[in-house]
Amino acid sequence: MNDYLRIACQQVREDIVTMIHHAGSGHPGGSLSAVELLVALYQGGVLKHDASNPAWDGRDRFILSKGHVAPVLYSVLARSGYFSVDELSTLRELGSILQGHPHMECTPGLDCSSGSLGQGLSIANGLAMAFKKRSLSNRVYCLMGDGELQEGQIWEAAMTSAHFKLDNLCAIVDYNHVQLDGTTEEIKDLGDLQMKWASFGFHVIDIDGHQMEEVLGAYAEAMTVKGKPSVIIANTVKGKGVSFMENKCEWHGQAPNAGQWLAALTEILS
């Protein structure tokens, strides 16, 4: 990973634990597991976007289907120049542009309000179909959680993506194996995800979601696929970067207290 992106990931992890500590609530585990995936998109030259013109027609679109991990997206947007980094300290406050789940009418750079799990891929399908019908080159990216794949609408949407040959669509699964009440295997086993997505008509790319070179390579590969949608299965660690949060379901939706926040920062900045 080059130094620029390594430092960007470190800043975003610092922002995540700080925002959630100050807010007193939020979802650190799934935010920390998705850091490299979003930093690569926005700061690694993958996503076509312009922070000075968030409504630019030529931009690609990003849908955060697992909307409860909004802190990672807010940090990446702020560090990309969509709004002041100072706004991050207002997370979840009344009147803040940064609500607990993404609200596209409040936050510059958001293309979708989200939070009801299972719906992001359907929204991404609609955008991708519209771009194709208008013969536009815009691409659509949709980040989903692995627990979210237990929702039936995901698989109806997946069939739709393949049926309409949406090769301008890239689905991303943050496969950290942990959800609110336990592991995904305990709650509802997902089985062989690679085979499952392939059988639904997707080009499947399986990677380590914390290795930036693999993440960037996966996005590049997805851009070359023709006639079918792509899915990146990113194997990640819930709470990545903070040892006492890693792989712990209790950190799905819990804010660190002052001592835990300082301990987390020490690890992230070491």
Side-chain angles (χ1 to χ4, degrees):
M1 186 191 310
N2 65 47
D3 282 346
Y4 171 75
L5 294 178
R6 180 183 59 78
I7 292 169
C9 290
Q10 189 179 48
Q11 285 178 327
V12 170
R13 287 198 160 89
E14 181 182 0
D15 288 342
I16 289 168
V17 296
T18 299
M19 294 165 71
I20 295 174
H21 166 63
H22 287 164
S25 63
H27 297 83
S31 295
L32 291 167
S33 68
V35 170
E36 282 79 9
L37 300 172
L38 267 67
V39 168
L41 264 182
Y42 280 87
Q43 298 182 22
V46 177
L47 199 76
K48 287 190 301 182
H49 70 116
D50 181 355
S52 68
N53 184 12
W56 173 45
D57 283 342
R59 74 191 188 280
D60 294 332
R61 305 297 197 270
F62 173 71
I63 308 299
L64 183 63
S65 190
K66 57 171 200 168
H68 56 279
V69 304
V72 62
L73 179 55
Y74 293 157
S75 172
V76 170
L77 288 174
R79 297 289 177 182
S80 299
Y82 281 89
F83 48 84
S84 169
V85 172
D86 292 342
E87 291 286 348
L88 298 178
S89 64
T90 71
L91 174 70
R92 289 180 172 245
E93 288 182 2
L94 187 64
S96 169
I97 66 169
L98 306 178
Q99 293 300 298
H101 290 72
H103 188 335
M104 64 182 295
E105 294 180 0
C106 292
T107 311
L110 289 185
D111 289 315
C112 175
S113 299
S114 61
S116 297
L117 295 177
Q119 299 181 3
L121 190 58
S122 295
I123 298 168
N125 278 342
L127 288 165
M129 291 170 67
F131 291 138
K132 277 195 164 292
K133 285 185 178 296
R134 295 167 62 194
S135 299
L136 298 175
S137 62
N138 310 59
R139 293 183 59 79
V140 184
Y141 296 84
C142 176
L143 179 66
M144 299 169 286
D146 49 2
E148 186 180 7
L149 301 190
Q150 296 158 346
E151 304 277 350
Q153 186 174 333
I154 289 287
W155 300 105
E156 181 180 352
M159 284 190 289
T160 302
S161 310
H163 178 78
F164 289 101
K165 299 179 173 54
L166 300 179
D167 52 14
N168 56 344
L169 170 66
C170 180
I172 311 154
V173 177
D174 184 2
Y175 197 11
N176 61 38
H177 295 271
V178 180
Q179 57 190 104
L180 175 62
D181 293 325
T183 67
T184 52
E185 288 74 16
E186 292 168 336
I187 304 301
K188 190 187 290 183
D189 195 354
L190 298 170
D192 187 335
L193 270 189
Q194 289 85 353
M195 184 176 67
K196 197 165 286 183
W197 281 99
S199 70
F200 273 75
F202 276 67
H203 175 76
V204 180
I205 307 168
D206 189 82
I207 62 166
D208 181 332
H210 297 305
Q211 292 298 319
M212 185 58 79
E213 292 80 5
E214 290 192 34
V215 176
L216 291 170
Y219 288 135
E221 180 178 334
M223 289 182 192
T224 68
V225 176
K226 302 300 180 187
K228 61 168 61 177
S230 296
V231 61
I232 297 170
I233 299 177
N235 295 279
T236 60
V237 175
K238 191 112 171 179
K240 177 67 175 178
V242 182
S243 60
F244 59 87
M245 293 184 181
E246 290 186 353
N247 297 312
K248 301 286 179 34
C249 62
E250 56 265 37
W251 287 103
H252 176 90
Q254 174 181 309
N257 60 31
Q260 292 164 334
W261 169 52
L262 291 173
L265 287 184
T266 299
E267 287 194 25
I268 292 168
L269 298 175
S270 65

